[in-house]
Amino acid sequence: MLCVAGKWLRTWWKIRKPATFGVKVLLIHPCDPAQCLIVRHSYSDRSRWGLPGGAYRPGRENPEQAGVREAREELALTVTEVPTVLDTVSTTLEGKRDTLTIVQATPVSGSFVRSPEIAEARWVRADMAAMPKGEPVSRWLERALSARNAAEPAPRSPSVQDG
């Protein structure tokens, strides 16, 4: 049912070309910041690993609030701290004018419960080398990991004075 609805929406978007707003959430494990949660959605390309997320209305919530809501709705994860915006992208990839914001958040627990929207979910090391071998990864997951790595402070190299 969700697959049929997704196909119908993509057709409607190509005809109407609406302006939409979406959020993707890079969830960082609360006990191991080197891990992130990747998912496969049940309503689109089930072979592709990506990030939880969805649509939001700017008049009702901002991307950070939407990210917290999506983590709760899709995975029953509670986020208590305000997520960090990693990137904002404007795209017309699906036939609509979409503004997508990628946020990073840490839930209070690493235990999740998948909603019907999520076909599969797992914690993995937060770098592209740790992604499942031979399986496609969404461009948004790649972009989120790249933005996260760019935002992290570089390791301090020893200086002569450190002796």
Side-chain angles (χ1 to χ4, degrees), residues 115-134:
S115 77
E117 291 182 55
I118 304 296
E120 189 176 350
R122 67 171 79 153
W123 292 104
V124 297
R125 208 172 70 246
D127 63 54
M128 286 308 297
M131 294 302 118
K133 299 291 182 230

Side-chain angles (χ1 to χ4, degrees), residues 124-143:
V124 297
R125 208 172 70 246
D127 63 54
M128 286 308 297
M131 294 302 118
K133 299 291 182 230
E135 297 182 30
V137 174
S138 81
R139 78 183 108 252
W140 309 125
L141 174 54
E142 290 177 359
R143 195 165 182 139

Side-chain angles (χ1 to χ4, degrees), residues 91-136:
T91 178
T92 57
L93 290 174
E94 294 181 317
K96 56 184 174 162
R97 294 169 291 139
D98 195 20
T99 300
L100 178 74
T101 302
I102 302 170
V103 299
Q104 178 177 298
T106 302
V108 296
S109 168
S111 298
F112 58 85
V113 177
R114 292 180 293 115
S115 77
E117 291 182 55
I118 304 296
E120 189 176 350
R122 67 171 79 153
W123 292 104
V124 297
R125 208 172 70 246
D127 63 54
M128 286 308 297
M131 294 302 118
K133 299 291 182 230
E135 297 182 30

Side-chain angles (χ1 to χ4, degrees), residues 28-144:
I28 303 301
H29 196 287
C31 298
D32 183 358
Q35 289 191 48
C36 68
L37 190 66
I38 59 174
V39 302
R40 287 181 171 163
H41 285 95
S42 58
Y43 55 82
S44 61
D45 184 357
R46 294 178 76 148
S47 67
R48 189 173 308 279
W49 287 100
L51 298 169
Y56 72 94
R57 290 187 179 172
R60 292 189 181 168
E61 61 187 350
N62 62 36
E64 295 91 335
Q65 293 165 326
V68 169
R69 178 181 49 76
E70 289 292 340
R72 184 180 63 250
E73 289 176 0
E74 293 187 3
L75 297 152
L77 287 169
T78 301
V79 175
T80 57
E81 294 185 19
V82 176
T84 303
V85 173
L86 293 176
D87 200 359
T88 300
V89 183
S90 294
T91 178
T92 57
L93 290 174
E94 294 181 317
K96 56 184 174 162
R97 294 169 291 139
D98 195 20
T99 300
L100 178 74
T101 302
I102 302 170
V103 299
Q104 178 177 298
T106 302
V108 296
S109 168
S111 298
F112 58 85
V113 177
R114 292 180 293 115
S115 77
E117 291 182 55
I118 304 296
E120 189 176 350
R122 67 171 79 153
W123 292 104
V124 297
R125 208 172 70 246
D127 63 54
M128 286 308 297
M131 294 302 118
K133 299 291 182 230
E135 297 182 30
V137 174
S138 81
R139 78 183 108 252
W140 309 125
L141 174 54
E142 290 177 359
R143 195 165 182 139

Side-chain angles (χ1 to χ4, degrees), residues 139-156:
R139 78 183 108 252
W140 309 125
L141 174 54
E142 290 177 359
R143 195 165 182 139
L145 293 175
S146 176
R148 178 180 192 257
N149 293 336
E152 286 183 344
R156 194 171 148 243

